[in-house]
Amino acid sequence: MLEISAKCIGCTKCVAVCPFGALSMSGKKAVVNMSACTLCGACVQVCPVEAISIKRDTASKDFSAYKGVWVFVELEDSEDLSAEGPVRKVSFELLSEGRKIADALKEELCAVVLAGKNRNYERELGEYGADKVYFCENPEFTVYNTDIYSAAVCALINKHKPSVVLFGATVKGRDLAPRIASALYVGLTADCTALSVRDGLLVQSRPAFGGNIMADILSPNSRPQMATVRPNVMKVSPAQSGRIAILVREDLKIDKNMRRVKVLRRKIDRGSGSMKIENANIIVSGGRGMKTKEKFKLIEELASVLGAAVGASRAAVDLGFKEKSHQVGQSGVTVSPRLYMAFGISGAVQHLVGMKNSDIVIAVNKDPNAMIFGAAKYAFVADAHQVLPKLSELLAKGLKRG
Ligand code: FAD
Ligand code: SF4
Ligand code: SF4
């Protein structure tokens, strides 16, 4: 229920931002048409005198109207502010996992895309399992904006009532999902590493207590059940060529005034000249055992020979050997390369959780009891400072000859 109090000064700001034309002026006061209002909350944000309030019926536990598993599809940022980039890999991971959840719940899997232009998303996302694509086209969506995106997604959720909504635990997902959860007054589990279904509920699993236990979190008292999921944790299912989702165009009225931040220029940081670890096929990673920033360069040399990305443990980052964007683990990035090479890393649980999905792990450590060996296919009890220069030299020669 939306209420407009006597504090209203008739400024008309709320009327301009309502995406559903639910507000109008009657004399000098704003009035709402509740049959058009989706409780998206956009008007609450702009009212200068806090005259608008939303009261939600939290007592009702009849969720039978809530159906469908939704994935918020994230698009890459581009330096050209007039065009969004391609779909991010995390969205395909979520669709692949969302497909299993939708099947278990016997519900539809739907993708939500906000973009300036449709680039055949029904085909691209359909191939990864989406039954339906809710597509909102507007030039205002080309550049991500918290206010505009959250109002749009809230409006869609209120209109279609999905039972589950998933976001990537990326910079955008971590910004957008909590805002939507708080606007809708529902729960949100951040940074999940596994999802499943139990008794019709979404089981949202994530590390807790510093990564020492896995917590299963349920949201039985609110809908939709919302979660952000770490990139590179879920596997992408093979694309089903020719599978096309139903495209549902959603016409949302977006007012530019909702945008409180304007992006004037964008420069994409490609990780200070080196490759990003998120999507790398090979990662050479170093830990505290590398001892100094100078010695850590041995890791960078091997990475450069192999065309690999450089990873680091949190201890190595804390010691200033490498920037935080290279940190692998629970409070860093989750990676799933073909090959992960760990030098001087003990293998604390918070590190393992970020790299355990790697296809092959090679570990070099002086301590024969190092935990990292438990995750390694090839374990070498050796001094990394001696192994690294020799390995770089041999591989450089071998690669040149080959
Ligand atoms: P250490 O544990 O000190 O291990 C150094 C290793 O180097 C030892 O095994 C030693 O035997 C070996 N070594 C020493 N010299 C040599 C040599 N010459 N040659 C070969 N081996 C040698 N950690 C992460 O990595 N990522 C995270 O995202 C992360 N998040 C965290 C979140 C929380 C909430 C908490 C509480 C902790 C987190 N940590 C994280 C920290 C984690 O618990 C460990 O402290 C950290 O991973 C240790 O880093 P390390 O293995 O480099 O150092
Ligand atoms: Fe319009 Fe949203 Fe306000 Fe309802 S809550 S009146 S839909 S802006
Ligand atoms: Fe009234 Fe607030 Fe709407 Fe302005 S924004 S017309 S003050 S309810």
Side-chain angles (χ1 to χ4, degrees), residues 4 8-12 14 30 47-49 52:
I4 301 173
C8 172
I9 52 169
C11 71
T12 77
C14 57
C47 179
V49 292
I52 310 176

Side-chain angles (χ1 to χ4, degrees), residues 35 158 223 239 286:
S35 59
N158 280 320
R223 289 293 181 280

Side-chain angles (χ1 to χ4, degrees), residues 288 291 313-314 327-331 346 350-351 365 383-384:
R288 196 200 305 268
K291 303 277 193 305
S313 70
R314 176 151 140 188
Q327 183 182 315
V328 174
Q330 186 188 319
S331 49
S346 60
Q350 297 89 357
H351 187 82
N365 197 303
D383 185 339

Side-chain angles (χ1 to χ4, degrees), residues 11 87-88 94 197 199 203 222 233 243 253 257 260 266 303 318 331 360 362:
C11 71
V87 175
R88 287 196 66 175
L94 291 182
V197 172
D199 300 333
V203 182
S222 60
V233 172
R243 192 179 182 282
K253 194 183 102 191
N257 296 324
R260 286 179 292 180
R266 182 184 281 136
D318 289 348
S331 49
I360 296 173
I362 299 177

Side-chain angles (χ1 to χ4, degrees), residues 13-318:
K13 283 187 178 167
C14 57
V15 178
V17 299
C18 177
F20 300 94
L23 290 162
S24 57
M25 298 305 291
S26 173
K28 290 237 153 46
K29 299 278 180 205
V31 287
V32 62
N33 170 5
M34 275 318 292
S35 59
C37 172
T38 65
L39 298 180
C40 73
C43 56
V44 179
Q45 291 172 30
V46 296
C47 179
V49 292
E50 295 180 2
I52 310 176
S53 59
I54 292 178
K55 289 198 177 62
R56 295 176 197 279
D57 177 12
T58 48
S60 166
K61 293 279 186 297
D62 178 11
F63 298 130
S64 53
Y66 288 81
K67 291 261 179 295
V69 175
W70 282 19
V71 169
F72 173 77
V73 174
E74 203 176 304
L75 305 175
E76 294 274 7
D77 285 331
S78 100
E79 287 190 353
D80 173 4
L81 296 181
S82 64
E84 51 271 322
V87 175
R88 287 196 66 175
K89 181 172 162 259
V90 65
S91 302
F92 297 122
E93 292 167 7
L94 291 182
L95 284 171
S96 303
E97 194 63 17
R99 183 67 267 163
K100 293 179 209 158
I101 292 160
D103 289 344
L105 292 170
K106 297 190 175 52
E107 295 179 6
E108 280 180 329
L109 176 65
C110 308
V112 177
V113 185
L114 311 182
K117 189 172 171 223
N118 185 12
R119 293 164 196 249
N120 227 341
Y121 293 118
E122 63 275 28
R123 183 175 289 274
E124 185 176 15
L125 303 172
E127 289 189 349
Y128 287 92
D131 298 313
K132 211 178 249 178
V133 175
Y134 289 110
F135 178 65
C136 309
E137 189 168 6
N138 192 307
E140 286 299 319
F141 292 136
T142 306
V143 175
Y144 173 78
N145 175 271
T146 315
D147 299 313
I148 289 182
Y149 269 57
S150 57
V153 178
C154 281
L156 292 175
I157 290 175
N158 280 320
K159 183 173 170 193
H160 296 286
K161 300 193 171 14
S163 63
V164 171
V165 186
L166 305 175
F167 301 80
T170 57
V171 172
K172 277 184 206 166
R174 284 172 171 162
D175 177 65
L176 184 60
R179 194 172 177 99
I180 294 169
S182 102
L184 299 176
Y185 208 64
V186 300
L188 169 72
T189 307
D191 262 14
C192 293
T193 53
L195 299 172
S196 56
V197 172
R198 192 191 302 152
D199 300 333
L201 289 174
L202 181 71
V203 182
Q204 304 151 67
S205 308
R206 55 150 299 153
F209 293 106
N212 292 310
I213 61 157
M214 287 296 284
D216 286 350
I217 296 163
L218 305 173
S219 307
N221 298 323
S222 60
R223 289 293 181 280
Q225 302 156 89
M226 291 197 10
T228 64
V229 179
R230 287 202 136 215
N232 286 320
V233 172
M234 315 291 182
K235 293 270 178 215
V236 178
S237 305
Q240 298 172 53
S241 177
R243 192 179 182 282
I244 302 175
I246 298 167
L247 184 74
V248 182
R249 285 184 176 273
E250 290 286 341
D251 192 17
L252 299 181
K253 194 183 102 191
I254 296 296
D255 192 286
K256 284 186 201 154
N257 296 324
M258 281 164 73
R259 186 186 284 280
R260 286 179 292 180
V261 175
K262 191 164 169 36
V263 178
L264 301 176
R265 199 165 56 89
R266 182 184 281 136
K267 177 104 182 66
I268 301 198
D269 177 8
R270 313 239 175 241
S272 56
S274 59
M275 199 185 296
K276 280 200 163 190
I277 54 174
E278 284 90 334
N279 304 321
N281 274 327
I282 307 177
I283 298 175
V284 184
S285 224
R288 196 200 305 268
M290 292 313 298
K291 303 277 193 305
T292 63
K293 191 171 182 178
E294 203 47 44
K295 295 257 177 66
F296 197 89
K297 293 215 167 79
L298 295 172
I299 297 281
E300 288 162 7
E301 278 162 31
L302 178 59
S304 143
V305 170
L306 291 171
V310 175
S313 70
R314 176 151 140 188
V317 170
D318 289 348

